[in-house]
Amino acid sequence: MIAVWMLLLFVALSLVAWLLLFDDARARVAAHLGRWQRAVGARATRGWSHTANAAGASTRQVAAGTGRLLRGVHRQRLWLLGALLLAGVPPLLILTLRQRVQLDSYDATLVRAEDERILQLLRGERLAPPPPLPPELFLAAEAGMIPAEPDAVTSPAMGQTNNTFALDRIGSADRRWERIHPEFQQRVLAIYRVMEQQHGYRMVLVEGFRSAQRQAELAAKGGGVTRAGAGQSCHQYGMAVDSALYRDGKLQWDMRDPWVRRGYFLHGELAQQVGLEWGGSWRSIKDYVHLEWKAPCREARRAARAG
């Protein structure tokens, strides 16, 4: 649809430029208008004299106004042509030269070959969730304090306070895969498998389903944690997950580490390829660990409100 509109814009700009730059073109247009005026006048003489006279007068006024307009356009043709070029050339160049959107600090060529791999996983066998990790792993992460950069990773239930991120209650977060929507679950598991088998990154589910009470508690901590209140987060409908990179027996959050940063951007790119929204692409708050199935989640929220 965009291409059709751009084509129509190009045709319109070409027509205007033709009239501006070529005197012969304006003469042809004026001649056509004159013939149309004479045809209307001739028709008027064969009957409906009053109506025809009025029509003829209107036609003459239109022709006179058109002539004045064309003369004015001709006098200002250079300015108008410049304005048309400024308005028309950029969108045409964008349409012609547009390329794949690439995330900052990330080489998208790393994952282009994985598109078909993910599609095969989604079309093939039902992927089974990985075995759960010991709760002590998440309790240890919860107890830690990690220095943060301005673009450091926002972990689930992790609040930003001055120059640190406080890991908040992820030890008690819900990590039961059966509470995640089945189709959404398969997309996430496909991402996990490609991340590990093709790129050497192991991913761990940190939080899936989230109760309304927990969501309200996190929202009360302020916009640095979440801006979604009870009933608004996709976590509450089983259509959002927070995942972390796992290495050397620890969850990896520190975006200053090139390996970690590359992993989270890769995770986000793969998620977008299978139709999921990645929190790292948000403008207001960067939530690199977060994935959600946006359109079905929106429908679930509507159904919940209607019920």
Side-chain angles (χ1 to χ4, degrees), residues 45-262:
T45 59
R46 292 194 295 268
W48 312 318
S49 58
H50 178 72
T51 303
N53 287 335
S58 298
T59 303
R60 288 190 294 274
Q61 291 177 357
V62 170
T66 303
R68 288 194 297 271
L69 176 62
L70 289 175
R71 288 192 295 272
V73 168
H74 179 66
R75 287 194 298 270
Q76 304 296 331
R77 61 187 182 278
L78 295 180
W79 288 104
L80 291 173
L81 182 59
L84 288 171
L85 289 174
L86 287 175
V89 170
L92 289 174
L93 288 175
I94 291 171
L95 181 66
T96 304
L97 303 176
R98 63 182 179 177
Q99 298 178 358
R100 180 189 184 92
V101 176
Q102 182 167 308
L103 299 169
D104 294 338
S105 304
Y106 180 70
D107 183 4
T109 58
L110 294 172
V111 296
R112 287 175 185 165
E114 309 309 331
D115 294 6
E116 186 59 31
R117 171 66 173 160
I118 288 185
L119 292 177
Q120 289 175 357
L121 289 172
L122 293 177
R123 289 195 297 258
E125 61 178 306
R126 296 293 294 180
L127 300 175
L133 292 174
E136 292 77 14
L137 172 72
F138 302 96
L139 291 172
E142 182 178 325
M145 296 292 291
I146 301 177
E149 293 297 309
D151 60 350
V153 66
T154 299
S155 77
M158 188 191 292
Q160 183 176 3
T161 306
N162 296 326
N163 294 323
T164 60
F165 276 124
L167 297 173
D168 180 26
R169 294 184 58 191
I170 64 171
S172 58
D174 194 326
R175 285 179 284 277
R176 288 174 289 179
W177 283 95
E178 62 269 21
R179 302 198 72 178
I180 298 172
H181 188 285
E183 290 186 41
F184 175 59
Q185 177 194 111
Q186 289 299 299
R187 293 171 190 243
V188 174
L189 291 173
I191 294 168
Y192 279 21
R193 179 170 291 189
V194 171
M195 286 284 289
E196 184 168 12
Q197 294 184 354
Q198 302 297 322
H199 300 286
Y201 284 95
R202 184 178 177 185
M203 300 207 72
V204 173
L205 178 65
V206 176
E207 184 166 19
F209 176 80
R210 186 181 292 166
S211 68
Q213 179 182 356
R214 175 169 167 80
Q215 187 65 40
E217 291 173 355
L218 293 175
K221 296 179 181 295
V225 179
T226 180
R227 297 185 178 182
Q232 297 176 336
S233 171
C234 293
H235 281 283
Q236 293 170 251
Y237 306 98
M239 298 182 189
V241 296
D242 294 321
S243 306
L245 300 176
Y246 180 70
R247 180 180 63 177
D248 299 331
K250 296 180 181 179
L251 305 181
Q252 302 293 325
W253 312 108
D254 191 356
M255 292 292 278
R256 297 170 302 177
D257 182 335
W259 182 87
V260 173
R261 185 174 183 84
R262 177 183 179 274

